[in-house]
Amino acid sequence: MRVLMTADTVGGVWRFAQELTSGLLEAGDAVALVSFGREPSAAQQIECKRLRALWGESFFYVSCDSPLEWMRENNRAFGEAAAVLAQVLGEFEAELLHANQFSLGAARLGIPTVVTAHSDVLSWARCCRGAELEGSEWLARYCALVQRGLDAADLVTAPTAWMMRALAEGFRLPSEQLVIPNGRSVAGQAAGERRLRAVTAGRVWDEAKDVAILGQVRSPMPLAAVGEQECDGVRAGALEGVESLGVLSDQAILQLFASSAVYVFTSRYEPFGLAPLEAALCGCAIVAREIASMREVWEDAALYFRDAVGLSAVLKRLYEDPKFLWSYRQRAGERGHMFSREQMVKGYRKVYAGLLDKEHACVA
């Protein structure tokens, strides 16, 4: 199969696309990856150069800095991106489009189209602010872009059933829907001393991540946060008592997880959560905010909290009881291995093959 896939360079969609792309290439497929949002970082460029070196003409990468549909200048989000996809389609002779931005489901390239719902602004607002966003030209344009992409898609996927339900509260979905959990492949990290430390990783500037709660926690173990401090004009505040590690490479983050005992998932809104999965695969116990998507993903393999007081109590228990900590590190690791790259790739390849079979049947 020859798959044209979109990604963005800002958040977790990049890691999702890299994992899926790598798995598809390993399975013998060809992938053209096109990223949007801003120019790729040096590390992201290196990742794509590595895939090109490994797979030759089976991998093709193009970057475009046109804004994402949720960004302020979303009036430019569709036209430029769709034109780039059309050009890549001609060069790569793709058979199927996998869009990881809603709007690009409507690119109308004449090939079957899968749209994956990683998150959406309306469900984000309900979870983070407890209310609908105030009407604006930007929001109206965003909703129109999303709905048009969903209407044009042959199938919509989401990483959790929760995300699919949340999307359906704000938008009309096509009849063809499927939940395919995200997957991650984490190579063994170098063995070393594991510190009794709690870490978190993510967009520190994003209020949905609520990393600020760490500044309200009374923790007997050190706390550290990794992630970008600013994006699209939004900047995070300082966190008292929390070591800020800034932006680290993916490998450095994995090494941090491998040398820490606990991962704290602070988000009020998260459709799946790749960072806690990475941490679990690196040997961390998972302490997660009590939200429905985390219960769906982690079940009883994580510890949960509702507020800073609850988080403080959980961290105290883990600090004081080594056997308790060990048991939850084991639970998290076992659960994490259920969400592998292999299972994710298998799910998407089955979807792709079904859509291509249906198209060939219609042509015949």
Side-chain angles (χ1 to χ4, degrees):
M1 290 180 283
R2 300 183 67 81
V3 180
L4 173 57
M5 186 183 306
T6 75
D8 72 59
T9 54
V10 177
V13 174
W14 176 266
R15 179 52 47 216
F16 166 86
Q18 284 287 317
E19 285 289 317
L20 183 53
T21 294
S22 296
L24 291 172
L25 291 169
E26 290 168 1
D29 301 317
V31 180
L33 182 65
V34 185
S35 67
F36 302 99
R38 63 187 179 196
E39 290 300 319
S41 68
Q44 289 168 336
Q45 292 180 54
I46 289 171
E47 282 189 270
C48 291
K49 288 178 181 178
R50 181 183 62 82
L51 288 176
R52 180 70 175 185
L54 279 172
W55 301 104
E57 294 184 359
S58 291
F59 177 71
F60 189 87
Y61 175 60
V62 174
S63 65
C64 174
D65 65 356
S66 63
L68 304 172
E69 58 214 15
W70 54 265
M71 289 180 166
R72 291 181 180 179
E73 297 182 4
N74 63 358
N75 57 310
R76 295 174 43 232
F78 179 75
E80 294 178 11
V84 170
L85 290 182
Q87 180 178 348
V88 173
L89 172 70
E91 296 175 6
F92 187 72
E93 298 181 348
E95 299 174 278
L96 179 141
L97 170 65
H98 184 157
N100 289 298
Q101 291 82 32
F102 293 112
S103 62
L104 296 178
R108 301 194 182 282
L109 301 179
I111 55 178
T113 299
V114 177
V115 170
T116 296
H118 295 280
S119 65
D120 78 275
V121 167
L122 301 189
S123 61
W124 172 90
R126 290 194 300 271
C127 292
C128 296
R129 300 184 177 179
E132 302 294 332
L133 291 173
E134 183 178 345
S136 66
E137 183 178 344
W138 163 83
L139 182 61
R141 186 182 302 114
Y142 169 83
C143 291
L145 286 168
V146 171
Q147 191 60 66
R148 186 168 62 174
L150 290 170
D151 288 343
D154 294 287
L155 182 141
V156 172
T157 66
T160 54
W162 179 88
M163 183 65 240
M164 194 72 81
R165 292 193 301 270
L167 184 64
E169 289 185 39
F171 299 96
R172 180 178 62 255
L173 304 188
S175 58
E176 296 294 324
Q177 307 165 21
L178 187 63
V179 173
I180 302 178
N182 289 343
R184 186 74 167 96
S185 174
V186 174
Q189 301 303 302
E193 181 183 359
R194 188 177 294 273
R195 295 177 54 191
L196 193 52
R197 169 178 58 191
V199 299
T200 194
R203 299 184 299 274
V204 181
W205 57 267
D206 187 348
E207 65 183 276
K209 303 302 181 184
D210 196 24
V211 178
I213 194 175
L214 295 181
Q216 307 164 29
V217 168
R218 298 182 62 182
S219 173
M221 66 179 77
L223 302 174
V226 177
E228 194 175 46
Q229 296 283 331
E230 183 176 7
C231 180
D232 206 24
V234 180
R235 181 168 180 79
L239 296 176
E240 184 177 352
V242 181
E243 182 182 7
S244 178
L245 300 177
V247 178
L248 299 179
S249 68
D250 287 341
Q251 188 59 38
I253 290 174
L254 295 179
Q255 291 172 353
L256 176 69
F257 293 162
S259 65
S260 302
V262 178
Y263 182 87
V264 180
F265 177 81
T266 60
S267 297
R268 292 184 295 236
Y269 174 77
E270 181 57 69
F272 182 85
L274 280 173
L277 174 56
E278 292 171 345
L281 294 173
C282 289
C284 291
I286 303 302
V287 179
R289 188 183 288 270
E290 179 72 69
I291 57 176
S293 58
M294 287 300 97
R295 282 287 185 181
E296 180 180 341
V297 173
W298 292 102
E299 296 185 350
D300 64 354
L303 293 159
Y304 298 91
F305 67 92
R306 294 181 182 274
D307 53 27
V309 173
L311 177 53
S312 299
V314 171
L315 293 176
K316 183 174 185 292
R317 175 78 187 277
L318 291 169
Y319 181 80
E320 294 177 346
D321 191 338
K323 290 184 178 180
F324 186 70
L325 171 58
W326 173 256
S327 70
Y328 273 93
R329 287 180 56 210
Q330 291 294 104
R331 289 189 191 192
E334 291 170 3
R335 181 72 177 172
H337 280 98
M338 296 175 60
F339 302 105
S340 66
R341 174 197 287 177
E342 290 74 18
Q343 62 79 24
M344 177 177 68
V345 171
K346 182 179 179 180
Y348 276 106
R349 292 192 83 236
K350 183 176 180 180
V351 164
Y352 299 162
L355 291 176
L356 290 174
D357 285 347
K358 186 182 296 186
E359 182 190 39
H360 295 155
C362 291
V363 172

